[in-house]
Amino acid sequence: MSWLVVLLILYVIWDVNYFIRCVFTVFAGRLFQSKRKVTDTTSIYGLCTSQDVDIFIRHMNNARYVRELDFARFHFYALTGLYEKIRARRGGAVQGASSVRYRRTIPIFHPYKITTKLVWWDEKAIYLEQQFITLADGFVRAVAMSKQNITNCDVLEVLKSYPETAKRPEKPEELKLWLDAIEVSSQKLRKDK
């Protein structure tokens, strides 16, 4: 009986499903999928369930997209070994910024996949593009840009251990514009102090 009470308290004060899903996503990726190059696209799969939908119970809630992106990033880090290399240098990774463009909803009970791809990097951060794609029609339902700040180590040094990153790609135009918008916002906040 006491275990049930503890479990109930955990579910009330902690998002237990989130942590279970994180562990499952990382370990399933490591056990059942091969390692990937850091420049490869990785994919995870999901199903829009009744826990994911908005108040009208028709499609995925906008906040749920961001949560699902976490799992896809953890999976990317696990399959590429990038997070281990960052941790070996006593570094860490934190979300610095993200932007999601919703194109079309994901209806309830529809399966989808999330692809994650490293599109660019600088000395302080890596930039990922992630897409939600419904399996039934292959339509890209949402696109997210993510800036992952890498703390306490130089990204360029970390990525030197990956031969495929010897030549950094051209910065995508949409990433340039997005980073410019972030800088404009930062300048405004600095002026407000």
Side-chain angles (χ1 to χ4, degrees):
M1 184 65 168
S2 63
W3 284 104
L4 287 175
V5 171
V6 169
L7 190 60
L8 179 63
I9 291 171
L10 282 176
Y11 266 92
V12 169
I13 63 173
W14 251 19
D15 190 352
V16 175
N17 290 341
Y18 177 84
F19 293 101
I20 291 170
R21 175 89 184 274
C22 287
V23 170
F24 175 79
T25 300
V26 169
F27 284 116
R30 287 184 176 174
L31 288 174
F32 302 113
Q33 294 180 298
S34 59
K35 284 281 192 186
R36 303 289 165 77
K37 293 180 180 179
V38 77
T39 54
D40 286 347
T41 299
T42 61
S43 299
I44 66 167
Y45 294 84
L47 176 71
C48 181
T49 69
S50 59
Q51 292 185 357
D52 302 322
V53 294
D54 68 350
I55 194 166
F56 301 110
I57 311 174
R58 294 191 327 203
H59 57 79
M60 187 179 285
N61 177 312
N62 292 347
R64 206 56 153 193
Y65 284 84
V66 177
R67 177 185 167 113
E68 293 297 312
L69 292 172
D70 275 353
F71 303 131
R73 276 193 307 277
F74 299 151
H75 181 260
F76 171 82
Y77 281 128
L79 287 187
T80 61
L82 181 57
Y83 192 70
E84 285 90 358
K85 292 183 187 229
I86 293 167
R87 293 297 301 150
R89 290 171 171 79
R90 300 184 187 273
V94 295
Q95 183 81 309
S98 66
S99 176
V100 182
R101 179 173 169 243
Y102 303 99
R103 298 182 68 218
R104 205 179 285 170
T105 62
I106 297 177
I108 190 169
F109 303 124
H110 277 66
Y112 59 88
K113 72 176 177 179
I114 304 171
T115 61
T116 303
K117 179 159 183 65
L118 175 67
V119 293
W120 199 71
W121 57 89
D122 57 29
E123 60 280 345
K124 294 181 181 178
I126 63 169
Y127 301 89
L128 304 173
E129 180 182 82
Q130 297 177 284
Q131 297 182 350
F132 283 83
I133 304 166
T134 42
L135 299 182
D137 57 8
F139 189 80
V140 177
R141 301 292 175 135
V143 178
M145 293 299 291
S146 169
K147 177 182 181 182
Q148 295 284 289
N149 291 334
I150 308 303
T151 59
N152 302 323
C153 62
D154 185 321
V155 174
L156 302 176
E157 286 297 316
V158 173
L159 291 178
K160 279 183 183 176
S161 61
Y162 292 95
E164 62 270 22
T165 63
K167 185 175 185 312
R168 185 167 55 175
E170 193 75 23
K171 188 189 297 184
E173 183 65 23
E174 66 268 25
L175 180 60
K176 285 181 197 174
L177 295 170
W178 182 57
L179 292 175
D180 287 346
I182 291 171
E183 184 56 32
V184 168
S185 174
S186 293
Q187 291 293 335
K188 179 182 174 197
L189 293 171
R190 287 183 199 118
K191 288 178 184 174
D192 287 347
K193 285 187 174 181

